[in-house]
Amino acid sequence: MQSSRNDFLSTEMQTKLVNALGTSHFFNVLVEALSVVICFDSSSAICYNKHKAPELLFSNLTENEDKIFYARFLDGAYVASPAYQGFVSNLSDGLYPWAELMPEGFKQSDMYITYYQVSCIEDLVYVFINCDELGFIQFCIGRHSPNATFGNEELETLKSTCQLIIGLIRKHWEFAVKQGQNATPLSSIVSERVNYLLNHFEPDLLTARERQIAKLVITGHSSQSAADNLHISPGTERVHRAKLYAKLKLRSNSELFSYFLNLLRDANQ
């Protein structure tokens, strides 16, 4: 493994990465460099910004994920992804395994079942880079079934290169923005609209507490996790959840998530 790390940091590879800074093929070169030290099936880079819609900087997805990525994830479902919650929470720069970002019960959520599971995603690892006014970048590599999740040794290998990756991506994005490079907007629905709907979910029908619970459910929290976040008992959380479902004529978390996505689509028309 040590020799592989040296390959990533080799003079030739560093030269290729430096020469690619600010160019449209930077992330292709970065992925090529990373593939020397670790095996993965997919990769992507997204820039989140509080003042405009998220932008897709790069994607190299499996055929299966690529179809559902544009059909569902970009239609507003990204708000329920653990990585987007990392942006909302303003997490520090660093390496974040998928399991560390997931709220409790996420694998039973509608987002997991209808996007990640269908895409055959086994594991993800994120690198977060806060570029201040230029946005919050998430760079991600993924493993897909039948391949196994990332092991501890592989994560340690990634951690050993993390600061270099962060520095390269930050400098690349600074150059790219100055040169006026265009990224692909993830959705015509701006982040302000997404966040507004999450924080003002059916205000004429639901109480403040019911809206808080709806927001947590939509973003992938289980009943226990929602209760913990609100500092209430799981029993109290279930009572509030039952009331909000009754008011909206819904029967499940999946229906609530679909209800929210319909609101997003209506708001964009």
Side-chain angles (χ1 to χ4, degrees), residues 191-204:
S191 295
E192 287 84 353
R193 171 57 64 183
V194 172
N195 291 327
Y196 180 85
L197 287 176
L198 280 171
N199 292 319
H200 302 82
F201 186 69
E202 296 293 19
D204 296 333

Side-chain angles (χ1 to χ4, degrees), residues 197-269:
L197 287 176
L198 280 171
N199 292 319
H200 302 82
F201 186 69
E202 296 293 19
D204 296 333
L205 295 175
L206 306 177
T207 65
R209 179 63 84 192
E210 289 164 356
R211 291 198 301 275
Q212 289 176 323
I213 291 172
K215 178 179 179 179
L216 289 168
V217 173
I218 290 166
T219 53
H221 288 260
S222 66
S223 180
Q224 181 65 60
S225 180
D228 291 343
N229 272 267
L230 298 175
H231 306 291
I232 59 177
S233 71
T236 300
E237 189 276 341
R238 286 192 292 271
V239 169
H240 287 301
R241 188 183 299 214
K243 288 181 178 179
L244 81 87
Y245 283 169
K247 291 177 180 179
L248 299 178
K249 297 180 173 58
L250 303 175
R251 295 173 296 178
S252 66
N253 294 356
S254 177
E255 289 188 2
L256 177 62
F257 190 75
S258 296
Y259 187 97
F260 175 75
L261 291 184
N262 287 335
L263 287 180
L264 282 177
R265 297 186 188 102
D266 292 343
N268 191 47
Q269 293 177 349

